[in-house]
Amino acid sequence: MDKKMNLLMFSGDYDKAMAGLILANTARELEVDVTMFFAFWGLFLVRDPDKMTLEDKTIYEKIMGWMTPKGPEELPLSKMNFSGLGKLMLTEMIEDNEAPKLIHFLKGARKKNVKFYACKLSVDIMGFKPEEFIPELEIIEAKTYLKDALESDMQLFI
């Protein structure tokens, strides 16, 4: 099957990230070529908590680093987060149903060769360094992503 799907991941919410990764993994199982483009809050999904640094950052970039999720498992819910209680309930419901967690969907997408791209301007504005992300992530300009997206059969904005 020569089909292609693009997902623009703008949200930094656990449930929305999960939806995007479920679609990406399922599409790869159907042999669809999948590209995920992460911008602004979506970058938290591909942030590696073990590789964060405050070195050579402005005060605003340091504050942003301290105040934001440190990786996929720290993402809040989009609705009913209730200071983390809602997310705790959701993750327990996921476990009760023996469903994979967000981190498992991310690992699956990485193993299935989903293409991971980050918006260069978003990375620069948010104060991230390339080494703070998962190794599969390539930082590109929006123009490069759009050229790829224009060749896609399906485009989703999450």
Side-chain angles (χ1 to χ4, degrees):
M1 179 185 300
D2 289 343
K3 296 287 182 184
K4 187 171 183 173
M5 179 172 79
N6 269 270
L7 294 110
L8 194 158
M9 302 298 293
F10 183 78
S11 173
D13 297 321
Y14 187 94
D15 46 325
K16 293 177 182 179
M18 193 142 173
L21 285 169
I22 288 169
L23 292 173
N25 277 281
T26 304
R28 287 301 297 138
E29 289 168 10
L30 296 171
E31 299 181 11
V32 174
D33 185 30
V34 178
T35 297
M36 297 182 83
F37 183 71
F38 299 87
F40 289 100
W41 311 119
L43 291 169
F44 299 134
L45 176 58
V46 288
R47 187 180 191 185
D48 187 331
D50 298 325
K51 296 181 180 177
M52 292 178 45
T53 182
L54 297 177
E55 193 173 318
D56 297 325
K57 291 192 175 188
T58 68
I59 188 68
Y60 290 137
E61 292 168 345
K62 288 177 183 177
I63 291 170
M64 180 76 75
W66 290 322
M67 295 179 66
T68 56
K70 308 303 182 270
E73 289 302 313
E74 286 193 14
L75 298 177
L77 291 183
S78 62
K79 304 281 187 226
M80 297 177 56
N81 192 51
F82 303 124
S83 297
L85 182 59
K87 182 176 169 198
L88 177 65
M89 291 174 14
L90 177 65
T91 54
E92 286 187 17
M93 292 165 67
I94 288 169
E95 287 176 18
D96 290 347
N97 285 284
E98 298 178 6
K101 291 182 179 181
L102 175 63
I103 193 70
H104 299 124
F105 285 110
L106 179 59
K107 287 178 183 176
R110 292 168 74 180
K111 286 180 185 174
K112 292 174 185 163
N113 296 316
V114 167
K115 293 181 193 104
F116 293 95
Y117 296 121
C119 173
K120 182 181 181 329
L121 185 59
S122 296
V123 169
D124 292 345
I125 289 172
M126 301 288 279
F128 291 122
K129 303 220 177 283
E131 60 271 13
E132 293 182 89
F133 296 107
I134 61 173
E136 295 85 356
L137 188 77
E138 182 181 343
I139 299 171
I140 62 172
E141 293 183 359
K143 186 178 192 178
T144 304
Y145 167 73
L146 287 173
K147 287 179 184 178
D148 184 66
L150 287 169
E151 297 172 2
S152 175
D153 298 291
M154 180 185 291
Q155 299 174 28
L156 302 171
F157 183 91
I158 299 176

